[in-house]
């Protein structure tokens, strides 16, 4: 096969990126659950004929899923599943519903389109199907192994009946499922158009070229940023909601030429509670690639082309490779902490190129019950926190780990659910001080307008997000139930069935993030701006940054220089990492 010209490859690349965006738009306009429609908790993918992801946001699971069908797949088939153990953990819990559509052009298989999204409720003992007390996946809700929702174009109505019968939100779930199908069919249509335009042979060759491009560029990243001598880093998840913990996650990394090695030996055994995360090798390779590309070279196209360069060791029965039937519903604490551990391990070789630690989870606020008209309501909102200070600048305030996620508009919440949002703001001083400030947390206060029950999922209530290169740690998370009688009741970071009455308020505060670099090297005018914006208090400006402000809010240059000189002498040598209260929390 002759080498393809780069212009054709670029055209196909950008066409595929646009198709992926169109998949998202189709879903957002059709789905009903706010976590998909408003917050965009979904992940699209397009593969080549062998199932390798060429464009998308998660690792390819297609070969493993298709292997469940000895009869093969035909045109018009639509595969549906929600079982993490049936797809190597490409979906991480049973609320993630996945669709896979084989794409045929003139009877020739040319690829697959796939997408999964988080549906509101799949049965089980608590609303939203994320029970903190689950000790097996059987106690979380209904899971679907790979089945054909459509077989050669014919809808299997029995599956739809089962779907609707096993959820508190049948209308929303059915709509979300069909919206995911529609998004995948959008990709199917567009890929066929590309095959019609270029021919299937040229299309397939272009996909191969795109995979090769990523492979070549990732080789350079590996050589430039991974150490040749093994280095290890560890971080902790607070607890599993059942009184066990903290749980250690330990990663050792090194490279041999262009081959990279990642070893999770030393990570704690799987949890009794539902925080374990089933991390397949292909999924972790995707996370590694996503992290390296976003931190070091965002111009690289993210796909499966580099997977042969990465070698993964994950002990069976560990927090990251739990044995069936371990509960997985609250796995986001481990999933998100994975990036902090990966960042910490990479920083041991090149600390100047690595970010600090962030809020490190996907916090959930879940509120359910009956309103005053007797109608059921079920809200699940994904919350955000501080993203870490980085080599290139400050961390983002109150942002999602996943770049595509957004918040649910307050207007939407107050229109469709019996609550008021009293305020939604960033938490002053919650980001760790640094040359580049850590991002601040979110503070959100709800007033309940109906009796109901609340569930909370969060972490970093005990383990602070660490700072790097002299940066300080971010603040921890906390929750408070402010009862209408004036009393205040602390709420644990992982808890179900908190009874709330009409008029009660819930204060939900996420974690901040660590700062990057010496706070005394931050430009005084930037500190002044942070104070004016309410991101940093005057006290912290002086105590952590050594910046003295006048009564009218201007920088007192002479006092600032003097203060910084005194602080620099008195503090001594700065540490590479500042873990805050870690030692006390571990004890």
């Amino acid at each position: 096969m002759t080498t393809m010209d780069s212009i054709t490859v670029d055209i196909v690349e950008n066409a595929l990126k646009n198709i992926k965006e169109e998949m998202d738009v189709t879903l957002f306009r059709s789905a009903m659950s706010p976590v998909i429609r408003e917050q965009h908790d979904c992940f699209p993918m397009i593969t080549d004929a062998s199932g390798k992801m060429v464009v998308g946001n998660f690792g390819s699971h297609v070969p493993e899923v298709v292997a469940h069908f000895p009869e093969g797949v035909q045109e018009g088939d639509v595969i549906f599943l929600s079982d993490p153990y049936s797809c190597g953990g490409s979906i991480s819990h049973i609320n993630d519903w996945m669709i896979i559509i084989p794409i045929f052009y003139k009877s020739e298989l040319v690829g697959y389109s796939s997408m999964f999204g988080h549906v509101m409720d799949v049965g089980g003992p608590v609303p939203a199907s994320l029970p903190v007390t689950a000790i097996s996946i059987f106690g979380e809700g209904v899971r679907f192994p790979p089945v054909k929702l459509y077989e050669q174009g014919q809808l299997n109505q029995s599956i739809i009946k089962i779907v609707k019968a096993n959820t508190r939100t049948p209308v929303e779930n059915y709509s979300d499922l069909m919206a995911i199908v529609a998004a995948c069919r959008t990709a199917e249509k567009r890929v066929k158009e590309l095959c019609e335009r270029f021919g299937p042979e040229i299309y397939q060759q272009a996909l191969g070229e795109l995979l090769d491009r990523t492979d070549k560029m990732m080789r350079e990243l590996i050589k430039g940023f991974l150490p040749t001598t093994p280095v290890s880093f560890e971080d902790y998840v607070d607890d599993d909601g059942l009184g066990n913990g903290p749980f250690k996650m330990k990663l050792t990394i090194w490279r041999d030429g262009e081959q990279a090695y990642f070893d999770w030996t030393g990570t704690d055994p799987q949890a009794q509670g539902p925080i374990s995360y089933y991390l397949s090798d292909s999924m972790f390779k995707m996370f590694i690639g996503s992290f390296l590309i976003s931190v070091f070279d965002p111009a690289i196209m993210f796909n499966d082309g580099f997977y042969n360069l990465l070698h993964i060791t994950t002990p069976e029965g560990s927090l990251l490779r739990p044995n069936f039937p371990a509960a997985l519903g609250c796995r986001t604490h481990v999933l998100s902490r994975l990036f902090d551990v990966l960042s910490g391990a990479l920083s041991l070789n090149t600390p100047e190129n690595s970010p600090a630690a962030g809020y490190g989870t996907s916090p959930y606020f879940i509120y359910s019950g009956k309103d005053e008209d007797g109608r059921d309501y079920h809200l699940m909102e994904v919350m955000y926190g501080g993203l870490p200070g980085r080599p290139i600048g400050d961390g983002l305030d109150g942002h999602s780990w996943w770049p595509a996620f957004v918040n649910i508009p307050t207007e939407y919440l107050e229109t469709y659910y019996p609550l008021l949002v009293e305020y939604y703001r960033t938490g002053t001083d919650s980001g760790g001080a640094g040359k580049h400030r850590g991002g601040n947390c979110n503070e959100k206060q709800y007033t309940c307008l109906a009796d109901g029950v609340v569930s909370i999922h969060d972490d970093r209530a005990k383990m602070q997000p660490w700072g790097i290169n002299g940066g300080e740690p971010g603040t921890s998370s906390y929750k408070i139930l402010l009862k209408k009688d004036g009393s205040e009741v602390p709420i644990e970071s992982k808890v179900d069935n908190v009874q709330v009455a009409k008029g009660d308020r819930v204060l939900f505060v996420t974690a901040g993030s660590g700062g990057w670099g010496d706070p005394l090297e931050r430009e005084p005018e930037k500190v002044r701006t942070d104070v004016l914006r309410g991101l940093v208090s005057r006290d912290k400006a002086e105590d952590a940054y050594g910046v003295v402000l006048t009564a009218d809010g201007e920088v007192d240059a002479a006092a600032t220089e003097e203060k910084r000189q005194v602080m620099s002498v008195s503090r001594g040598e700065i540490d590479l990492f500042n873990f805050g209260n870690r030692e006390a929390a571990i004890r």
Side-chain angles (χ1 to χ4, degrees):
M1 187 176 292
T2 59
T3 303
M4 177 173 289
D5 67 277
S6 61
I7 294 176
T8 300
V9 177
D10 289 343
I11 291 172
V12 172
E13 175 184 357
N14 285 286
L16 290 171
K17 289 179 178 179
N18 286 328
I19 293 169
K20 180 173 75 75
E21 297 297 324
E22 190 176 0
M23 292 175 73
D24 283 338
V25 171
T26 301
L27 179 64
F28 302 155
R29 290 178 175 176
S30 307
M32 290 188 66
S33 298
V35 72
I36 295 178
R37 182 184 184 91
E38 301 295 332
Q39 297 205 275
H40 302 172
D41 188 350
C42 61
F43 296 86
M45 179 179 72
I46 300 169
T47 81
D48 66 7
S50 69
K52 287 185 177 179
M53 182 184 71
V54 183
V55 63
N57 293 341
F58 63 104
S60 180
H61 47 269
V62 168
E64 185 170 353
V65 173
V66 170
H68 284 265
F69 302 95
E71 75 278 13
V73 293
Q74 290 79 39
E75 190 163 9
D77 287 353
V78 176
I79 299 171
F80 166 53
L81 70 149
S82 68
D83 178 19
Y85 291 104
S86 296
C87 61
S90 287
I91 52 175
S92 57
H93 66 153
I94 59 176
N95 291 70
D96 287 340
W97 282 9
M98 177 186 289
I99 291 293
I100 303 172
I101 293 181
I103 304 173
F104 289 85
Y105 177 75
K106 295 183 178 179
S107 301
E108 175 188 353
L109 180 66
V110 295
Y112 296 85
S113 62
S114 182
M115 177 178 260
F116 72 83
H118 181 120
V119 299
M120 290 278 288
D121 184 279
V122 291
V126 297
S129 311
L130 299 168
V132 171
T133 57
I135 58 174
S136 86
I137 200 167
F138 298 115
E140 295 183 310
V142 175
R143 61 191 174 95
F144 290 88
V147 294
K148 290 186 177 180
L149 180 64
Y150 288 81
E151 189 159 7
Q152 297 186 50
Q154 296 298 311
L155 176 63
N156 188 334
Q157 291 287 353
S158 296
I159 294 176
I160 299 300
K161 291 179 181 179
I162 296 172
V163 163
K164 290 182 175 180
N166 288 279
T167 175
R168 298 170 179 85
T169 55
V171 174
E172 291 89 342
N173 283 22
Y174 174 74
S175 299
D176 293 346
L177 179 61
M178 290 300 138
I180 297 171
V181 172
C184 291
R185 283 182 167 155
T186 296
E188 177 188 26
K189 177 183 177 182
R190 299 303 185 212
V191 168
K192 287 182 178 180
E193 290 173 353
L194 285 175
C195 290
E196 184 68 29
R197 177 180 177 183
F198 293 104
E201 295 82 9
I202 296 296
Y203 173 73
Q204 291 290 349
Q205 187 179 354
L207 301 189
E209 293 281 349
L210 291 172
L211 292 167
D212 288 343
R213 274 187 186 179
T214 301
D215 175 89
K216 293 173 183 176
M217 298 175 81
M218 283 295 294
R219 290 175 187 271
E220 297 304 313
L221 279 188
I222 288 170
K223 289 189 294 184
F225 295 103
L226 265 67
T228 55
T229 301
V231 294
S232 300
F233 188 84
E234 58 192 48
D235 204 346
Y236 295 80
V237 174
D238 288 352
D239 61 87
D240 66 352
L242 297 180
N244 307 305
F247 291 86
K248 180 172 69 175
M249 297 172 62
K250 180 179 180 180
L251 178 63
T252 302
I253 66 172
W254 72 97
R255 71 174 177 88
D256 183 359
E258 297 173 338
Q259 303 295 309
Y261 297 83
F262 299 80
D263 187 349
W264 287 103
T265 299
T267 293
D268 279 348
Q270 67 191 65
Q272 180 187 16
I275 67 166
S276 298
Y277 175 53
Y278 188 87
L279 180 64
S280 68
D281 288 353
S282 62
M283 200 68 175
F284 186 46
K285 289 178 180 181
M286 183 273 292
F287 288 148
I288 294 168
S290 175
F291 184 87
L292 290 175
I293 288 170
S294 62
V295 171
F296 300 120
D297 192 351
I300 298 176
M301 184 179 182
F302 178 59
N303 60 38
D304 285 3
F306 60 88
Y307 279 19
N308 62 313
L309 306 176
L310 308 182
H311 308 274
I312 315 299
T313 300
T314 308
E316 296 290 334
S318 70
L319 195 66
L320 290 162
R321 188 64 63 81
N323 294 320
F324 179 83
L328 306 174
C330 306
R331 80 282 170 228
T332 54
H333 314 306
V334 172
L335 190 163
S336 300
R337 194 62 42 78
L338 176 154
F339 291 103
D340 289 338
V341 177
L342 179 59
S343 175
L346 289 169
S347 70
L348 294 171
N349 186 47
T350 56
E352 69 279 3
N353 293 322
S354 296
Y359 69 101
T361 184
S362 286
Y364 295 156
F365 173 74
I366 301 166
Y367 174 43
S368 301
K370 288 184 180 292
D371 64 19
E372 292 184 331
D373 296 323
R375 294 173 298 193
D376 292 329
Y377 63 90
H378 299 283
L379 169 66
M380 175 186 155
E381 182 177 14
V382 182
M383 305 289 285
Y384 308 130
L387 293 192
R390 305 163 289 166
I392 62 171
D394 295 343
L396 301 179
D397 301 304
H399 202 280
S400 170
W401 263 117
W402 310 104
F405 281 25
V406 296
N407 67 294
I408 301 178
T410 296
E411 296 82 358
Y412 184 100
L413 291 172
E414 294 182 343
T415 298
Y416 293 104
Y417 298 97
L419 58 77
L420 289 175
V421 177
E422 300 295 341
Y423 55 80
Y424 184 28
R425 65 194 184 195
T426 186
T428 303
D429 291 342
S430 55
K435 179 178 181 180
H436 298 152
R437 179 179 55 80
N440 281 349
C441 71
N442 274 346
E443 297 178 348
K444 195 165 191 175
Q445 184 167 294
Y446 306 87
T447 294
C448 302
L449 301 182
D451 296 348
V453 294
V454 165
S455 292
I456 300 291
H457 293 245
D458 202 358
D459 203 68
R460 289 251 187 242
K462 301 172 184 175
M463 302 287 178
Q464 291 177 266
W466 40 265
I468 192 170
N469 298 321
E472 296 183 356
T475 58
S476 299
S477 65
Y478 64 93
K479 320 289 177 288
I480 300 175
L481 173 60
L482 306 165
K483 299 183 73 65
K484 59 184 178 181
D485 63 8
S487 61
E488 298 185 4
V489 181
I491 305 176
E492 295 295 323
S493 64
K494 303 171 186 67
V495 64
D496 288 326
N497 296 319
V498 177
Q499 300 293 321
V500 293
K502 180 180 178 181
D504 287 348
R505 292 169 292 155
V506 177
L507 175 60
F508 197 121
V509 179
T510 60
S513 62
W516 187 99
D518 186 350
L520 300 186
E521 295 180 5
R522 186 168 178 82
E523 296 175 19
E525 279 299 324
K526 288 187 175 180
V527 177
R528 172 182 174 272
T529 300
D530 288 340
V531 172
L532 291 176
R533 296 175 62 195
L535 302 173
V536 173
S537 67
R538 291 177 69 102
D539 287 344
K540 185 166 184 176
E542 188 166 337
D543 296 340
Y545 293 97
V547 174
V548 181
L549 301 178
T550 63
D552 58 358
E554 298 298 325
V555 174
D556 185 330
T560 294
E561 183 177 358
E562 180 181 356
K563 175 104 179 145
R564 284 186 162 185
Q565 287 177 351
V566 172
M567 291 175 66
S568 179
V569 172
S570 63
R571 72 181 181 185
E573 186 176 348
I574 61 176
D575 295 324
L576 175 59
F577 296 101
N578 186 335
F579 294 106
N581 62 354
R582 173 188 282 190
E583 292 302 319
I586 293 174
R587 290 196 297 269

